Amino acid sequence: MTGRPTLRSRVRRVGREAAKFGTVGAVGTLVNFLVFNLCVHGFGLAVVRSGVIATVAAIGTNYLGNRHWTYRASDKDGQSRELGRFVFFSGIGLVIENGILAFSHYGLGYTSTLADNIAKNIVGVGIASVFRFWAYRTWVFRRRPVREAVAAGSLPAERTPSPGEPPSGG
């Protein structure tokens, strides 16, 4: 036995990761929605400017949630590099999200509140979230080896089989 995780355990792990990412993303989306609408309707700012401000607020929320919950077992060495990558890939997501808003609002002429919210907070956030999930798990929050994560206390010891012991639940 090589000690490699089974396909079933890997799928469960990615499923748990996606659920946590989605929960953090839901909070970020709520922040995004509230800040966007406050900027547009409360302060009278232009829609794309409001979208960028809202996305930046959501990025901050999402970093904290992903760093301290979704990817808490990831390698914490080089956090400044991690933050730089997070900001870089979040910036690409910001362009995707607000590019869709700008295209809908200015290119297609859909300028109602409903149309702006659908373009930004449903279509834009949805497409950007798929990109961000891939980018964060691939480039930003790299996983530590399981034994190292157990030693650091971020995973319970019972999740890691002893040498020579078959994995449980696989």
Side-chain angles (χ1 to χ4, degrees):
M1 176 172 293
T2 63
R4 293 181 57 183
T6 64
L7 176 61
R8 186 177 179 187
S9 67
R10 284 184 284 175
V11 168
R12 273 197 309 248
R13 180 181 49 101
V14 170
R16 281 191 305 270
E17 181 182 327
K20 287 180 176 182
F21 182 86
T23 301
V24 169
V27 172
T29 299
L30 180 62
V31 167
N32 203 334
F33 175 81
L34 293 173
V35 171
F36 174 71
N37 284 287
L38 177 66
C39 288
V40 170
H41 302 293
F43 300 125
L45 299 177
V47 291
V48 174
R49 178 175 293 150
S50 298
V52 170
I53 292 167
T55 303
V56 169
I59 287 170
T61 302
N62 290 347
Y63 179 76
L64 293 173
N66 283 314
R67 161 45 50 220
H68 297 293
W69 188 46
T70 308
Y71 298 107
R72 72 175 179 259
S74 67
D75 188 3
K76 289 182 178 53
D77 294 336
Q79 279 188 319
S80 62
R81 185 173 354 120
E82 170 190 280
L83 181 58
R85 288 178 179 169
F86 184 88
V87 169
F88 175 75
F89 288 113
S90 293
I92 294 172
L94 180 145
V95 170
I96 292 168
E97 190 176 312
N98 292 289
I100 290 169
L101 171 63
F103 178 69
S104 171
H105 189 89
Y106 298 110
L108 299 177
Y110 296 124
T111 60
S112 71
T113 298
L114 180 62
D116 287 341
N117 276 287
I118 289 172
K120 174 163 181 25
N121 294 310
I122 295 175
V123 178
V125 168
I127 293 170
S129 292
V130 171
F131 167 76
R132 288 178 181 125
F133 180 69
W134 168 81
Y136 294 169
R137 76 181 318 268
T138 303
W139 297 103
V140 179
F141 299 108
R142 296 187 177 211
R143 295 191 63 78
R144 291 191 288 197
V146 174
R147 293 208 191 287
E148 186 180 318
V150 169
S154 54
L155 287 178
E158 64 269 11
R159 289 189 54 186
T160 306
S162 302
E165 177 185 336
S168 61

